Amino acid sequence: MKGMVFTNFLEMVEERFGFVIADTIVTESNLPSGGAYTSVGQYDYKEMFTLIGKLHHQTGIPVADLCKEFGKYLFVKLVEAYPNFVSRVNNVFDFLGSIDNYIHIEVRKLYPDAELPHFETRLITPDQLEMIYSSSRGLHYLAEGLIEGSLAHFKTTATIVTAPMADGRVQFVITRNDS
Ligand code: HEM
């Protein structure tokens, strides 16, 4: 996993919970990397699960909620870093439909070692989009937070229904409720 994901995570923890908690979770996690992340470095994604688990112990907030909050936070940072990916489309379903066949493809060109998930997207009705997440990393709560961040960016209110599939993939059904 890219160092920028970790640096943004620790930045969020420090902003929301303070330096002491951020420092405590890094120290207690006993990470192979030592927790001294640089944005250009590459680290084992499992360190993210360790850090989130420790943050859960420190705050009592469920892991799923922490992951989703981080996804929303990360989305804002990704848009700051890559503004063109959001400005080329004008609605959230077109945007979400472009993650797998455009955005992550461009990301892969920039970072050949990026660990990216796959999404199969399908419009069920004009107001309902299905996204099926597949990744060996199981970061579907992060994906859900990134979807929530996308909805907020495009000022769209919607409900997201999540369903784990028998084969390990995760289905999201996003229903727009503002039109
Ligand atoms: C401006 C838009 C976006 C950009 C530039 C972007 C870029 C990236 C980058 C750089 C990574 C890290 C790869 C690594 O650590 O090796 C990543 C991972 C990921 N992205 Fe995106 N992304 C964007 C939007 C989204 C959205 C909207 C979703 C959800 C629908 C999403 C889902 C994910 C997930 C879940 C991962 C973690 C890896 C995994 O689950 O296997 N991304 N993306």
Side-chain angles (χ1 to χ4, degrees):
M1 183 176 265
K2 294 267 146 238
M4 62 88 94
V5 182
F6 288 94
T7 54
N8 278 306
F9 176 74
L10 291 176
E11 188 185 288
M12 180 195 78
V13 175
E14 207 173 313
E15 265 176 33
R16 307 254 161 104
F17 305 103
F19 172 77
V20 173
I21 299 254
D23 193 52
T24 306
I25 64 165
V26 171
T27 311
E28 285 190 354
S29 292
N30 237 323
L31 302 158
S33 70
Y37 301 109
T38 68
S39 60
V40 293
Q42 180 83 15
Y43 306 91
D44 189 340
Y45 76 94
K46 295 194 186 85
E47 293 196 3
M48 184 55 75
F49 283 105
T50 310
L51 286 165
I52 290 178
K54 292 288 176 200
L55 184 60
H56 160 68
H57 285 296
Q58 287 291 326
T59 62
I61 300 170
V63 166
D65 294 354
L66 292 169
C67 290
K68 284 189 251 177
E69 274 312 304
F70 175 50
K72 279 198 272 183
Y73 183 91
L74 182 63
F75 185 78
V76 173
K77 302 293 170 172
L78 288 170
V79 171
E80 276 170 22
Y82 308 97
N84 298 341
F85 291 149
V86 286
S87 59
R88 58 187 278 285
V89 289
N90 50 31
N91 73 78
V92 72
F93 282 2
D94 286 351
F95 174 71
L96 292 172
S98 75
I99 303 295
D100 206 63
N101 59 26
Y102 177 69
I103 296 176
H104 280 171
I105 289 176
E106 294 302 309
V107 169
R108 162 93 56 229
K109 288 183 198 162
L110 294 170
Y111 310 109
D113 55 358
E115 296 174 306
L116 297 162
H118 277 297
F119 287 100
E120 288 154 62
T121 51
R122 175 176 73 96
L123 264 186
I124 302 168
T125 71
D127 286 315
Q128 195 165 54
L129 180 76
E130 177 193 58
M131 290 186 89
I132 296 177
Y133 166 84
S134 61
S135 165
S136 57
R137 287 166 291 282
L139 290 162
H140 58 93
Y141 289 125
L142 181 69
E144 196 175 337
L146 287 161
I147 294 170
E148 287 175 1
S150 309
L151 290 164
H153 178 88
F154 286 94
K155 297 186 171 46
T156 304
T157 53
T159 48
I160 305 171
V161 175
T162 307
M165 297 167 75
D167 57 10
R169 295 182 300 161
V170 177
Q171 181 205 44
F172 299 107
V173 175
I174 305 151
T175 308
R176 207 156 29 192
N177 45 30
D178 59 349
S179 56

